[in-house]
């Protein structure tokens, strides 16, 4: 049996620190937005190479608060990827804006900048690329497009913590980078958590107001905000894990490269590619094959974890039917029919990798 993600494998490495620091939090009884959250925000800003990091309650909230802080609202269009988790587009809807889905590039499965250019209208206010599965989107051309057209660039980094483009971290390119600390993400806590990275003093200030009921000073409220805060216990866990994030991501890369080495020559199988200058952090290891369903069945038979991310692209989801009537995005639709993901986590060992790859190969 091999799970998709095995969080028990890394706990021994951080157990001592987490237990020690959690018991201090319990003794001190300060649970929300305390000194650990503040320290974690500073350590994350330093790690990402940005001026500010503002923690919040989830990755979904990070997207929502970032869009709100950026002033995006009713009547605005936000260009994004149809091949992502629903939260990306949900957040656009939360602020009353309209998601505009644009097709992806077949190798990285990320937004195609040429198609983004063609989709810009009078109403476009922002571009929201997703660094899907841990491979950075084509962020430099997207940044240029945003600049040339007076648009905001907001990054969905929920799957890309630690990924870089020419040495610069994802989340440091746009006006805001939105991170998720859901337990299975590259940097995960033991509950829900999120964070927005930004180089803008104004955006950071707005985020702090919105996450705490629209107040700058306690019990004085000038806008309607939210309850979206990180708690001290999650911050303790995140601080412990942040120290190891590069080695965790290196473990994911090592496992991914072993998979690709073993599976790259199989007929009709497309293994993940890595563009020059870009550091893929393999939140997922996703391959393409016309024989996907047969491979999935063989893996399930052996109780090896496997999944389809994502079977239904957002432009074909019931909830966006009205917006996307009949819209066809051929690259996305083709990939949704052929994609499948294998188990990936930093501690995946050689024996497990062998078992996964030999099971996949047995289909051919
Ligand atoms: C996980 C995820 C989110 C949402 O993060 P939560 O912390 O679960 O709210 C947003 N976008 C993408 C691409 C994700 O994978």
């Amino acid at each position: 049996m091999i799970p998709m993600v095995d969080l028990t494998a890394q706990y021994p490495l951080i157990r001592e620190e987490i237990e020690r620091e959690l018991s201090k939090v319990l003794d001190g009884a300060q649970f929300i937005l305390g000194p650990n959250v503040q320290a974690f925000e500073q350590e994350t800003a330093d790690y990402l190479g940005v001026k500010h990091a503002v923690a919040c309650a989830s990755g979904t909230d990070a997207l929502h608060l970032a869009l709100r802080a950026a002033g995006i609202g009713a009547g605005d269009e936000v260009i994004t990827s149809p091949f992502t988790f629903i939260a990306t587009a949900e957040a656009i809807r939360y602020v009353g804006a309209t998601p505009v889905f644009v097709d992806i590039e077949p190798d990285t499965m990320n937004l195609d900048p040429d198609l983004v250019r063609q989709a810009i209208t009078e109403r476009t206010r922002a571009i929201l690329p997703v660094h899907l599965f841990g491979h950075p989107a084509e962020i430099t051309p997207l940044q240029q497009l945003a600049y040339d057209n007076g648009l905001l660039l907001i990054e969905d980094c929920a799957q890309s913590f630690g990924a870089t483009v020419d040495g610069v971290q994802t989340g440091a390119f746009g006006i805001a980078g939105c991170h998720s600390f859901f337990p299975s993400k590259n940097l995960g806590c033991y509950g829900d958590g999120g964070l927005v990275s930004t180089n803008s003093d104004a955006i950071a200030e707005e985020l702090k107001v919105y996450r705490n009921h629209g107040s700058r000073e306690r019990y004085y409220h000038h806008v309607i905000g939210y309850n979206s805060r990180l708690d001290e216990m999650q911050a303790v866990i995140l601080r412990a894990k942040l120290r190891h994030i590069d080695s965790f991501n290196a473990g994911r890369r090592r496992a991914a490269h072993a998979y690709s080495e073993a599976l790259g020559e199989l007929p009709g199988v497309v293994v993940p590619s890595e563009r020059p200058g870009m550091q893929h952090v393999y939140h997922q290891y996703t391959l393409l094959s016309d024989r996907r369903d047969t491979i999935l069945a063989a893996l399930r038979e052996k109780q090896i974890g496997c999944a389809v991310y994502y079977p239904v692209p957002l432009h074909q989801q019931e909830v966006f039917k009205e917006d996307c009537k009949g819209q066809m995005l051929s690259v996305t639709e083709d990939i949704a029919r052929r994609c499948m993901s294998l188990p990936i986590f930093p501690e995946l060992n050689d024996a497990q990798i062998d078992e996964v790859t030999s099971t996949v190969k047995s289909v051919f």
Side-chain angles (χ1 to χ4, degrees):
M1 209 210 104
I2 304 173
M4 276 304 271
V5 183
D6 182 4
L7 290 172
T8 63
Q10 68 178 210
Y11 189 52
L13 180 67
I14 47 183
R15 172 187 281 129
E16 206 183 311
E17 177 176 354
I18 288 182
E19 287 182 354
R20 185 183 65 237
E21 295 303 319
L22 277 183
S23 86
K24 285 191 205 160
V25 171
L26 294 173
D27 285 334
Q30 184 178 359
F31 295 119
I32 304 282
L33 291 183
N36 279 290
V37 170
Q38 214 166 22
F40 173 63
E41 288 177 332
Q42 188 56 56
E43 288 156 9
T44 304
D46 293 346
Y47 178 83
L48 295 173
V50 296
K51 209 163 159 196
H52 305 280
V54 180
C56 62
S58 69
T60 307
D61 279 5
L63 288 157
H64 179 197
L65 298 181
L67 287 158
R68 179 110 196 252
I72 292 161
D76 297 335
E77 291 177 353
V78 178
I79 298 174
T80 194
S81 173
F83 199 56
T84 176
F85 183 56
I86 185 75
T88 316
E90 267 179 330
I92 296 170
R93 270 302 180 73
Y94 290 163
V95 297
T98 305
V100 173
F101 300 112
V102 158
D103 217 350
I104 55 176
E105 301 189 284
D107 58 336
T108 64
M109 307 180 220
N110 282 320
L111 267 186
D112 183 330
D114 285 331
L115 300 177
V116 170
R117 177 185 299 109
Q118 293 167 32
I120 294 171
T121 72
E122 295 280 270
R123 292 170 61 191
T124 309
R125 283 288 311 284
I127 306 171
L128 205 177
V130 181
H131 304 294
L132 194 74
F133 302 146
H135 192 296
E138 271 302 331
I139 202 71
T140 311
L142 291 174
Q143 207 175 22
Q144 189 64 43
L145 269 180
Y147 183 80
D148 291 346
N149 293 278
L151 308 175
L152 298 170
L153 181 67
I154 297 175
E155 301 169 71
D156 183 337
C157 309
Q159 302 187 0
S160 71
F161 199 95
T164 57
V165 178
D166 296 328
V168 177
Q169 293 281 335
T170 58
F173 291 88
I175 185 81
C178 306
H179 307 261
S180 164
F181 305 127
F182 185 79
S184 63
K185 300 292 164 91
N186 292 48
L187 179 65
C189 56
Y190 297 159
D192 276 304
L195 177 140
V196 181
S197 52
T198 182
N199 285 310
S200 157
D201 297 342
I203 294 278
E205 192 52 42
E206 292 288 294
L207 288 166
K208 286 180 190 166
V209 168
Y210 281 124
R211 76 172 168 183
N212 202 14
H213 296 290
S215 79
R216 258 189 200 101
E217 192 185 340
R218 212 167 183 194
Y219 304 124
Y220 291 82
H221 307 272
H222 61 287
V223 289
I224 294 294
Y226 310 91
N227 174 355
S228 181
R229 302 169 300 216
L230 191 68
D231 68 71
E232 285 287 291
M233 299 214 219
Q234 302 308 335
V236 158
I237 290 145
L238 288 164
R239 292 184 74 192
K241 286 204 190 182
L242 181 62
R243 293 191 240 292
H244 300 282
I245 187 66
D246 287 341
S247 94
F248 290 158
N249 281 336
R252 289 174 178 273
R253 288 173 55 78
R254 181 194 52 80
H257 294 156
Y259 277 154
S260 290
E261 176 92 1
L263 305 174
E265 304 291 302
L266 291 174
V269 169
V270 181
V271 296
S273 55
E274 294 181 16
R275 290 202 175 165
M278 293 192 176
Q279 169 102 333
H280 191 336
V281 292
Y282 291 97
H283 173 61
Q284 295 298 341
Y285 182 92
T286 302
L287 56 80
L288 306 179
S289 168
D290 288 329
R291 304 183 64 188
R292 172 181 79 186
D293 294 339
T294 318
I295 301 172
L296 289 172
L299 290 165
R300 284 190 190 119
E301 169 91 3
K302 290 213 167 167
Q303 291 190 288
I304 296 173
C306 51
V308 173
Y309 303 121
Y310 296 95
V312 183
L314 298 192
H315 69 289
Q316 296 182 322
Q317 291 284 352
E318 178 77 29
V319 67
F320 293 121
K321 223 161 75 187
E322 284 301 300
D323 299 299
C324 303
K325 261 183 248 116
Q327 188 183 12
M328 288 198 322
L329 299 169
S330 58
V331 177
T332 298
E333 287 163 35
D334 171 58
I335 285 176
R337 275 191 294 270
R338 294 193 294 139
C339 64
M340 57 163 291
S341 303
L342 296 176
I344 190 106
F345 49 90
E347 302 79 11
L348 201 65
N349 65 39
D350 291 346
Q352 292 172 311
I353 291 168
D354 272 351
E355 194 179 337
V356 175
T357 57
S358 57
T359 305
V360 174
K361 283 178 180 167
S362 72
V363 169
F364 290 83

